[in-house]
Every structure is written in structure tokens, then in C-alpha cells.
Amino acid sequence: MPEGPELHLASRFVNEACRGLVFGGCVEKSPISRNPEVPFESSAYYISAAARGKELRLTLSPLPGAQPPREPLALIFHFGMSGSFQLAPSNALPPHAHLRFYTAPPGPPLTLCFVDIRRFGHWDLSGEWQPGRGPCVLLEYEQFRENVLRNLADKVFDRPICEALLDQRFFNGIGNYLRAEILYRLRIPPFEKARTVLEALKQHRLVRVQGRRHTHLPVRPDRSPKLTLSQKIKAKLQNPDLLELCHSVPKEVVQLGGKGYGQASGEDDFAPFRAWLQCYGMVGMRSLRDRHGRTIWFQGDPGPLAPKGGKSHKKKSSGAQRGPGDRVEDHPPPSKAPSGTRRAWRGLPERTTAQQPEGTSLQDPKREEERAKANSGCCRP
């Protein structure tokens, strides 16, 4: 499913695309969607969005004097594996537009669509963030940090750090590509025990884990009383800890703009993200599957809690075809928005443990198929 940065970018897209637009009429749901009907009707209303972790809240706010009189309605969206929002001409809706909000006349008729090709995404009418999810790693950093360090006795921290990072009770917004990038930057083996990595932070000590050897620095460089404020800030930026990277790395993705993580191969707004990746799916990196079947990319020793008998796969060069064991998360096939579309944001998926096995690579599937045919050398009879 899309991760925190992609949800944040989706909310930004909705706010930018719908700014100044007046919507009207009923909210329309596709007949094949199993999600609930949205009982909202207004002659004139605005749409705005906000994201928190891996959730997005869409608020429908009637204008003064709109009929029938009613209060604003908030919907909470979970994007599943392939959910996204697109703004399209009303006479050229994109496929798989399962929830539709129509603009009111005058002006060209446009429709804000929740598009979900795989239909794992859903919405609910409560308007409340899902209980049990922790503070957002992007927008609520101090609360997020406190929540993790206060709950280190939780049994999830008995697990490998790569698995703990996907627990949304504590790392709301972190997903598969983010965990790989964060651990890679700190050279933390993905299958090191989570509590071992995090306990030192509670005592303000910086931990560097290299293989199975730990180096503990008694005092964080940025906490030395001999440093000036500017020196402390510089030292802090040069020596971030795990929880700080859980905030700053997603923030980097948001600052790239575009669509973030996805399979938009060849699109200009995906190129910066692809260039930004250092570990996830990169040539020369190794991969293993955790106990939930999720692929973790890393470099070097996997750590003491690595699954026994697990076969590590090394990312091959782009000229070689991947095998099933080298695959990363599922991506939906690319879809082109209509030429009249103002601009469309497409969130790209991160596989959940209860859903389908991992699918295609970050590369263009048509090119992969052509390479496979070219490398076959002969045709079977």
C-alpha cells in the first residue's frame, strides 16, 4: 500500500486540484464497489484533504446557503494496494473510479475520483482516524518518538527491527521501501532485535550496529555540553538516530514532489524518486523475506534474527530478468489519465500481509517481457 509520503502527496494534490472548485449534487459510488454509500447531497460544497500516517481524511464542506442545509461530512480513506485520487473531465472518467464527486455548474464539468484498480482500498463514514494507529511519523514527530520509547516493553520489539518498523501502532506511515532506506542509511542489519536497536535511544545514546557488533557512544555528539548551539545542530544533522530518520526520510520523499513511490516508469515526476532510492530494489542489494512474507532489501549481514533457511537474493542488473524470489511489492499496471485531466496523483501500493503475494518489479513490465523474450534464445515448439 502507499506509505506516509504518498498519502501526504495525495492530500496535497486534492487540496491543489480542488482549490476554487465548487462541487454539487450527490456523491456517486460505483455499483461494483463493496464500500458503503456516501449519504451526502449539497447544491454547493468544497472538498479538502488531510493525511495522517497511512490514512487520508476527505472533508466535504457545504457553502453558506447551500441546499439542503447540512453539516460537513468527513470520510477516512485507506488506499489499500492501489488507491489514488484523480481529477478528470466528467465525460471521460478513468477506469475503476469507485467514488465520484462532481463539480457544480457553471464551468467545465470535472469529477474528483477515488480510483482503485485492485479494490483493496476502502473508506468509512466515521471521519475519525483509525484508533490504535500511532502518531504520524511526518506530522507528529515528538509524539511519535515518545510513543515508541515509552512502549519498548511491547512484545513487537522482541522481533527484528525490520518487522517492528511496519507496526502502525508505533510507526504510522512507515512501509516497505521506507524501512529499507532507513535501516540502510544507519547500517543496521534488518534482522537485529528491535529492542536492542531502540533501547539505547531512551538513554540518549547513539547506536551503530555493524553486523553483530554494537558500538555504543556514551553521549550523543549533539548533546555534548561543550558544543555551541550551531555545533549541536550540525552534529545532530550528521548523526541522526533511527527515530529521527523515520521522520526525515519520509520528509525527503515529500520534498521531491511528484507522485512518490510507484511504477510510473518513464514519467518525469517519478524520476526524482527513482534517483533518490539508495537501497530498495537497487542493484547490488540483498533481499530476504520476513516472517510475514514481506521482502526487505539490505546490504551486508542480515542480523541474528534472520529467518533460518531463508535464501538471500541479490538484485541483478537491469539487463537480467528477475526470478520470483527477487520480486518486490505489488504494483498496479500503469494507467494514463485522460488528456483533459488537470492533473492526477496515483498512489502506488505496498503489499499488506493478508493480501496477494508480491508482484512485479519497479521496472516497466512491458520492457521486462521484451527482455525475457530476447533472452530466451529460442522458441519452444
Side-chain angles (χ1 to χ4, degrees):
M1 77 171 36
E3 307 184 19
E6 286 70 42
L7 270 292
H8 189 87
L9 289 168
S11 68
R12 177 186 292 180
F13 164 71
V14 170
N15 290 330
E16 291 177 356
C18 297
R19 184 180 295 119
L21 293 180
V22 177
F23 293 79
C26 298
V27 178
E28 186 176 273
K29 183 183 79 73
S30 70
I32 63 173
S33 174
R34 296 181 180 179
N35 281 294
E37 296 281 352
V38 177
F40 182 89
E41 181 180 2
S42 176
S43 59
Y45 65 95
Y46 289 137
I47 293 180
S48 61
R52 181 178 185 268
K54 291 189 178 183
E55 297 179 295
L56 183 145
R57 175 189 284 155
L58 201 70
T59 302
L60 315 181
S61 304
L63 276 63
Q67 298 296 324
R70 61 159 301 145
E71 294 296 316
L73 175 69
L75 306 171
I76 299 294
F77 285 82
H78 301 264
F79 280 17
M81 297 176 71
S82 59
S84 67
F85 279 99
Q86 295 185 25
L87 185 68
S90 297
N91 62 354
L93 298 181
H96 312 287
H98 296 300
L99 196 63
R100 301 180 280 268
F101 307 85
Y102 295 94
T103 57
L110 299 172
T111 305
L112 180 69
C113 308
F114 179 66
V115 180
D116 187 10
I117 187 172
R118 299 192 179 185
R119 286 188 278 164
F120 285 115
H122 64 276
W123 58 83
D124 65 69
L125 308 177
S126 68
E128 301 295 330
W129 303 119
Q130 184 179 3
R133 285 183 176 267
C136 175
V137 296
L138 264 170
L139 303 178
E140 302 167 310
Y141 170 66
E142 293 299 335
Q143 301 95 309
F144 149 70
R145 186 181 183 92
E146 180 183 357
N147 184 48
V148 172
L149 298 180
R150 188 178 61 244
N151 290 285
L152 288 181
D154 192 279
K155 63 182 180 180
V156 71
F157 297 113
D158 293 327
R159 300 174 185 171
I161 185 63
C162 67
E163 295 180 7
L165 283 171
L166 297 184
D167 193 314
Q168 299 301 293
R169 295 176 301 158
F170 302 107
F171 299 92
N172 187 12
I174 299 296
N176 211 18
Y177 83 79
L178 283 174
R179 67 171 178 172
E181 295 298 319
I182 291 167
L183 294 176
Y184 171 77
R185 293 190 185 194
L186 293 175
R187 300 298 187 265
I188 295 177
F191 292 94
E192 183 65 51
K193 188 175 182 179
R195 191 173 293 108
T196 300
V197 175
L198 293 167
E199 272 185 340
L201 303 184
K202 197 170 185 178
Q203 303 172 22
H204 305 303
R205 292 184 300 172
L206 179 65
V207 178
R208 284 289 184 265
V209 184
Q210 298 175 339
R212 298 189 184 183
R213 299 177 59 189
H214 301 186
T215 301
H216 300 271
L217 300 181
V219 181
R220 279 279 304 270
D222 57 288
R223 299 181 188 277
S224 172
K226 297 181 181 180
L227 298 179
T228 65
L229 178 60
S230 62
Q231 289 173 329
K232 288 182 179 180
I233 293 174
K234 182 178 180 180
K236 185 180 181 68
L237 293 174
Q238 292 175 343
N239 298 278
D241 62 37
L242 178 71
L243 299 183
E244 289 167 345
L245 285 189
C246 286
H247 169 69
S248 63
V249 172
K251 190 175 180 180
E252 289 178 16
V253 179
V254 173
Q255 291 171 342
L256 291 174
K259 300 173 183 177
Y261 165 59
Q263 189 196 0
S265 179
E267 294 186 13
D268 291 340
D269 59 358
F270 179 61
F273 175 80
R274 188 164 43 192
W276 171 86
L277 289 171
Q278 299 179 30
C279 177
Y280 181 77
M282 300 302 289
V283 173
M285 295 297 162
R286 304 172 65 192
S287 66
L288 279 172
R289 295 191 179 188
D290 61 25
R291 68 191 188 97
H292 297 298
R294 301 286 300 279
T295 301
I296 175 67
W297 293 89
F298 62 97
Q299 186 178 56
D301 185 3
L305 300 182
K308 295 181 179 179
K311 294 182 179 180
S312 175
H313 301 274
K314 198 166 186 178
K315 177 67 167 65
K316 302 175 183 179
S317 65
S318 59
Q321 185 183 10
R322 281 183 175 178
D326 295 314
R327 292 177 178 175
V328 296
E329 304 168 16
D330 275 10
H331 301 174
S335 60
K336 295 184 178 179
S339 58
T341 300
R342 178 176 173 181
R343 183 161 65 90
W345 182 94
R346 287 190 294 111
L348 275 290
E350 171 190 337
R351 193 180 73 83
T352 58
T353 57
Q355 293 166 350
Q356 297 179 2
E358 298 169 351
T360 57
S361 71
L362 289 172
Q363 302 173 19
D364 188 283
K366 293 183 179 179
R367 293 181 181 178
E368 287 294 295
E369 184 178 352
E370 292 173 359
R371 288 193 188 102
K373 291 179 179 179
N375 293 336
S376 62
C378 63
C379 297
R380 291 185 178 180

